[in-house]
Amino acid sequence: MDFVGIDKMSLVDFDDYLSITLFTEGCNFRCPFCHNSALVLNQHNPIIPWDEIKTLLKDRLGKIDAVVITGGEPLIHPDIIDKIKEIKALGYRVKLDTNGTNPKLMIKLIEDKLIDYVAIDIKNAIGKYSLTSGVNKLNINPIQESIQYLLNHQFPYEFRTTAIKEFHNLDDIISIAKMIKGCPKYVLQRYKDREECIEHGFHEISESDMAKWLETIKKIIPNTLTRGY
């Protein structure tokens, strides 16, 4: 697999760490609100030579703490393991962003100590997952397996949901919170319509409603917070 995007310095992708973010191409979801349309839709993104990335990582040793791997959906690429091994060999922490649909590969990365943190995007309540992910008759079982693995193991992770007026209401968020109750951190992200989104015309949750949602969800998951998107 190849990387097709890079953010050479990020303060927001991995809490408490200065990071380099690497973007993979392709995704098994088609969330209409996704803001990485070029990556998801494989729009002929130029490949960044791996040697170039490795040179950058070597040059930034001691200045950058971590590497974040995101997409797209990184775990549709089984050979991502080889790239992560090389990154870890340099001494970096590695964070993985995923939609949770490949628990087998996620678990292997965790148990082989190749990643240090996982963030899983929880798209919606179970009954609205297909609508929100853009995949008809989506098999939710692998996602539930990923969730349960993290809930049952002592490994650093967070769950997060991008809240959108057309897709979510408070009942949906409560349903999600009950499904992931016991997690160490849940993040409600406020949607912003951007030029790069796959589709447009969706609306963010108002600040007042988000504040009410946050107050409610904190009763289920105390460490719930909001984040800009």
Side-chain angles (χ1 to χ4, degrees), residues 85-207:
K85 283 181 177 178
E86 293 190 55
I87 294 169
K88 287 295 289 180
L90 293 172
Y92 285 101
R93 295 176 180 87
V94 176
K95 176 195 173 194
L96 172 70
D97 291 342
T98 179
N99 60 24
T101 53
N102 193 336
K104 182 177 180 180
L105 183 50
M106 182 195 79
I107 292 168
K108 179 173 177 57
L109 290 169
I110 291 172
E111 296 188 347
D112 288 353
K113 297 181 170 31
L114 292 175
I115 56 176
D116 302 276
Y117 195 91
V118 172
I120 291 187
D121 288 303
I122 307 296
K123 300 300 180 180
N124 211 328
I126 296 298
K128 297 173 74 172
Y129 231 97
S130 285
L131 171 69
T132 313
S133 65
V135 179
N136 291 329
K137 299 179 180 179
L138 176 70
N139 179 10
I140 196 73
N141 291 335
I143 298 168
Q144 292 177 310
E145 182 180 344
S146 293
I147 292 170
Q148 286 305 311
Y149 177 89
L150 291 175
L151 289 173
N152 293 329
H153 290 77
Q154 295 296 317
F155 181 82
Y157 69 94
E158 69 182 54
F159 296 126
R160 59 195 188 190
T161 299
T162 300
I164 305 159
K165 189 173 183 180
E166 286 77 11
F167 292 89
H168 304 91
N169 56 44
L170 180 54
D171 287 341
D172 297 323
I173 303 301
I174 290 173
S175 179
I176 294 170
K178 289 179 177 177
M179 177 173 64
I180 62 174
K181 184 177 180 180
C183 71
K185 184 178 183 180
Y186 181 43
V187 182
L188 290 174
Q189 299 183 147
R190 293 188 65 204
Y191 168 78
K192 299 288 186 182
D193 194 357
R194 298 179 178 178
E195 182 180 348
E196 298 86 0
C197 291
I198 292 179
E199 296 181 21
H200 299 279
F202 303 121
H203 299 85
E204 64 186 89
I205 306 298
S206 69
E207 289 188 18

Side-chain angles (χ1 to χ4, degrees), residues 2-6 22-26 38-39 44-48 53:
D2 297 297
F3 294 106
V4 296
I6 186 169
L22 300 177
F23 296 83
T24 64
E25 188 175 52
L39 299 176
H44 306 292
N45 301 289
I47 293 170
I48 302 173
I53 293 174

